Amino acid sequence: MSRLTSVCARLLRQLFGCLLCFVVWSLWTLLIAALGIQAWIAVRHEIVLPGPLLRIVERHLSTPSYRVTLGHAAFDPSGNLVIQGLEIELPGFEGPVLRAGQIQTRLDPWGLFVGHPNAHRLAVTGAEILYPSQLSPTGRPEAIVHNLDAVLRFEGNRVEIDALSGMAGPVALSAHGAIALAPLRGPPSATIAGFDAARAVGATISFLRKAANITPKLDALKGARLDLRLFPSPVAGALVDADFSASRLEIVTPHPVETGPFHLTTRFPLAGRVSARVIARLRLGSLSTAEGSTGGVTARLVATWSPHAHTFVPLRADLSAVGIRFMDTDVDALELSARPAPLPAIAFEAQASVADARLAAQGTIIPSLRSGSFTFDAVAGNGLEALVSKRIHRDLGRFVTFSRPGHASGSVRLLPGGKLASAQAWVDVHHLVAHEVPLDRISGHVWFDGHTFLADHAVVLQGDNVARGSYEMDVKTHDFRFLLSGFLRPPDIEGWFKPWWPALWKNFAFPTAAPAANIDIQGRWRFPALTTVFVGVDARNPVVREVPFDEVHTRVYSHGHDVDALSVNALRKEGSVRGWFTRTFDMDKSEWQSIDFDMTTSVDLAECARIIHKVGPEILA
């Protein structure tokens, strides 16, 4: 047994001796190799990754959602890594969606040694974001953003953007600030280096599809610039202050539009599942279209933006403009506010100054149907009247002119298609001339449905004339009806009913006071023969054909140019005249054709004969 033990001991000593010799020689070999590598690095200053190793890195960086290819990669002992020719492609799309000329970063050597490389700084130059050919408007891969340079720093749970600049078509881009990474991360099982790869790819494809519709239109911008400032947010990744400006916008089709310098500012959340309120402000130096132009526009939009659901819900829009010219109409100023009502309606408030008018309106409209209802308040005069006359190619000044603006307030209701359902207003106007009749004041309620015009509760003041009543007219047939009651000298409104009305009243005078009158006039404008008049007059101290009376009470019916005095009761100190008369008139000869009367009187017949002109003295002789 002792001999066996001795043999085993010698064998173990030999084995350990050989193993120790192998370790020593291996260590020296490694040291010599390391020394050679160090010497080679000292000469070359970098290590270029060979092709096989580069393919391993590409497979490590790629996922089922996207593929990464590298053109060249090199690093030095201090941890600096330079990658050139990086491209990222998406499955199902031809060509890269991201291309970078060069990416430079510095890796933590210790993290690299333990298998967790950490990049604290990333510098990108010559990067491009591209359409795949399937999404490109031209069918060829084209750059959405080009000449993109950026310097990024990774500090803990956020990314610092030290600098970022590039071009999106003619728009110069710049950005700086910081982004919190937590809101951008998905479930740990789906993340690559803390990011949800599938979610990021889906967002990228959505962005590319939208950009394909937008970027071709950017050529209309001249001297455009977009500046972004990002503030880290624990729930939204970042709050972005966007500042967009341009010296000019020129659109040719489908409708020509040209603007002067404009400036748009807004703040919105970058990401997150929480909706946020967004406020955008626009200042526009000028705006010109085929229909008109404006000297300056200021706008403000308040909306709710949900980055996760990609929903944008407008809450309120405010617009103000000055120096507007629209369809040959000059508007001094316009202010408009709108907000969503129960969809699809929009509630609005508007104010405008045009000509000498001040207009205000509020209500709801449905733009898709061109329908809605609104109330209005207006102060307007001759300036607005001239404007409307020009638009409808008809001189309204022949019907009414104003010494000073009048006031109206009412409401309008529109049916689908913009057809007028009804419009009504209370009107109050001082010192006007209505169809050659000067009036001190007219007030009342007016109503119009596109076919019938009605003015009721009307009050008309003219000197000591005070009348109340209504006026109704069919605007298509021009049929009308007046109903007036009050104290009124009939000759004072002769301008409305020329020539037959002056002829009817030319032999009457009311020197002391306007008579109490009730008038019912109906007919068709421009057809005097179709006009009928019922007049009741109760007058004190009237003069009939230079014959004075203490009182006259009469009821007169006129049709065409014939007059029926249905009842006459005239009083003088010495007696009265009671009865009736009928007079017919020959318009061709401009003279009476006949007169019939039945009178009972206690007044001197010579006086009565003066009333019946020409034939009176002969008949009563």
Side-chain angles (χ1 to χ4, degrees):
M1 184 64 66
S2 59
R3 185 176 178 83
L4 180 60
T5 301
S6 177
V7 171
C8 289
R10 286 197 301 270
L11 289 173
L12 287 173
R13 283 195 299 270
Q14 289 293 331
L15 180 62
F16 278 112
C18 292
L19 181 61
L20 179 61
C21 183
F22 175 77
V23 170
V24 171
W25 278 104
S26 297
L27 181 60
W28 275 105
T29 302
L30 289 174
L31 289 174
I32 292 172
L35 182 60
I37 292 173
Q38 290 287 341
W40 182 74
I41 292 175
V43 175
R44 296 294 302 272
H45 303 290
E46 66 177 14
I47 300 175
V48 177
L49 268 66
L53 186 56
L54 206 59
R55 304 289 84 80
I56 294 174
V57 174
E58 289 175 349
R59 288 194 296 272
H60 179 74
L61 295 176
S62 300
T63 73
S65 300
Y66 59 85
R67 185 168 67 90
V68 177
T69 59
L70 304 175
H72 176 84
F75 67 92
D76 61 27
S78 62
N80 290 322
L81 175 64
V82 177
I83 299 175
Q84 295 177 342
L86 179 141
E87 293 184 353
I88 297 179
E89 299 179 8
L90 302 181
F93 293 96
E94 181 181 349
V97 297
L98 177 65
R99 178 187 294 146
Q102 178 173 296
I103 299 176
Q104 183 177 357
T105 186
R106 182 179 178 83
L107 301 176
D108 181 4
W110 177 251
L112 185 63
F113 179 76
V114 299
H116 297 287
N118 294 316
H120 297 292
R121 185 177 182 277
L122 193 67
V124 181
T125 57
E128 294 178 315
I129 300 175
L130 304 104
Y131 297 115
S133 57
Q134 293 94 323
L135 300 179
S136 174
T138 62
R140 301 187 305 272
E142 294 184 10
I144 304 172
V145 178
H146 58 95
N147 296 337
L148 181 64
D149 300 330
V151 178
L152 311 177
R153 287 184 294 111
F154 302 90
E155 296 184 357
N157 198 34
R158 69 182 194 179
V159 177
E160 296 282 348
I161 303 175
D162 292 340
L164 185 147
S165 63
M167 296 292 295
V171 182
L173 306 175
S174 70
H176 67 280
I179 302 174
L181 296 179
L184 306 180
R185 289 180 175 141
S189 61
T191 62
I192 300 296
F195 289 94
D196 187 338
R199 178 181 168 197
V201 170
T204 300
I205 294 175
S206 176
F207 165 76
L208 293 174
R209 293 185 187 280
K210 294 176 181 178
N213 297 323
I214 296 174
T215 52
K217 303 174 183 178
L218 295 180
D219 291 335
L221 293 166
K222 311 299 178 183
R225 182 175 185 84
L226 176 61
D227 298 312
L228 304 177
R229 187 175 181 184
L230 298 93
F231 302 91
S233 168
V235 296
L239 296 178
V240 183
D241 278 354
D243 191 307
F244 182 70
S245 60
S247 61
R248 196 167 75 253
L249 171 67
E250 294 180 358
I251 298 176
V252 178
T253 57
H255 304 290
V257 175
E258 183 175 350
T259 75
F262 66 88
H263 188 197
L264 174 66
T265 60
T266 186
R267 169 176 283 195
F268 59 89
L270 181 63
R273 296 179 177 272
V274 179
S275 298
R277 177 165 292 191
V278 175
I279 300 176
R281 294 178 174 86
L282 171 67
R283 295 195 306 273
L284 186 62
S286 63
L287 173 66
S288 299
T289 67
E291 291 78 18
S293 62
T294 179
V297 176
T298 302
R300 178 176 178 267
L301 175 65
V302 181
T304 298
W305 162 245
S306 175
H308 174 69
H310 301 289
T311 56
F312 184 83
V313 181
L315 301 178
R316 182 183 178 91
D318 300 298
L319 174 71
S320 63
V322 297
I324 304 169
R325 184 169 182 80
F326 179 72
M327 297 179 67
D328 297 328
T329 300
D330 292 323
V331 180
D332 300 327
L334 171 67
E335 293 185 5
L336 174 66
S337 297
R339 62 187 183 279
L343 293 176
I346 297 175
F348 75 94
E349 297 177 3
Q351 297 182 9
S353 297
V354 51
D356 61 350
R358 297 187 303 275
L359 310 175
Q362 61 179 1
T364 58
I365 59 172
I366 303 177
S368 59
L369 300 179
R370 293 192 298 161
S371 65
S373 61
F374 60 89
T375 61
F376 67 89
D377 189 270
V379 176
N382 292 325
L384 185 62
E385 178 189 70
L387 180 62
V388 175
S389 297
K390 184 178 180 181
R391 296 302 309 158
I392 66 175
H393 306 290
R394 187 176 184 184
D395 183 14
L396 298 180
R398 296 188 301 115
F399 303 100
V400 61
T401 57
F402 303 91
S403 297
R404 63 181 184 182
H407 177 256
S409 61
S411 62
V412 176
R413 187 166 64 89
L414 300 175
L415 297 174
K419 183 179 180 180
L420 178 67
S422 65
Q424 64 85 30
W426 287 93
V427 179
D428 188 8
V429 185
H430 294 253
H431 305 296
L432 71 155
V433 177
H435 210 301
E436 301 183 23
V437 177
L439 300 174
D440 297 329
R441 181 179 181 183
I442 183 169
S443 62
H445 179 262
V446 296
W447 181 86
F448 183 56
D449 65 354
H451 185 272
T452 302
F453 174 81
L454 173 65
D456 54 3
H457 303 286
V459 178
V460 179
L461 302 179
Q462 183 195 50
D464 59 351
N465 293 333
V466 180
R468 291 175 171 81
S470 65
Y471 171 72
E472 185 174 359
M473 175 182 173
D474 186 317
V475 297
K476 295 183 178 180
T477 65
H478 294 168
D479 290 342
F480 69 92
R481 185 178 187 185
F482 279 97
L483 292 174
L484 295 174
S485 65
F487 297 90
L488 175 67
R489 288 183 174 87
D492 290 347
I493 59 171
E494 66 180 25
W496 292 348
F497 307 109
K498 287 182 177 180
W500 57 270
W501 186 266
L504 178 63
W505 296 100
K506 69 179 181 179
N507 297 316
F508 293 83
F510 308 95
T512 59
N518 290 281
I519 303 175
D520 182 350
I521 306 173
Q522 54 185 314
R524 179 172 297 173
W525 290 111
R526 295 182 296 180
F527 294 91
L530 300 179
T531 301
T532 61
V533 182
F534 286 91
V535 180
V537 178
D538 298 298
R540 293 185 178 275
N541 303 314
V543 178
V544 182
R545 287 192 182 276
E546 300 182 358
V547 178
F549 287 89
D550 297 331
E551 294 182 27
V552 170
H553 307 278
T554 184
R555 301 293 179 264
V556 178
Y557 169 62
S558 174
H559 50 94
H561 299 286
D562 299 333
V563 177
D564 292 330
L566 304 178
S567 66
V568 177
N569 184 10
L571 303 178
R572 286 168 59 98
K573 292 181 180 180
E574 68 272 24
S576 64
V577 179
R578 300 177 186 275
W580 58 267
F581 72 85
T582 298
R583 188 198 74 177
T584 59
F585 194 82
D586 189 335
M587 286 298 298
D588 295 334
K589 298 180 179 180
S590 297
E591 62 181 19
W592 288 8
Q593 185 176 13
S594 66
I595 182 169
D596 298 324
F597 64 91
D598 184 354
M599 297 287 183
T600 302
T601 181
S602 56
V603 177
D604 183 4
L605 289 181
E607 290 292 295
C608 293
R610 294 166 57 191
I611 298 175
I612 307 176
H613 186 52
K614 294 182 180 180
V615 298
E618 180 182 347
I619 294 174
L620 297 180

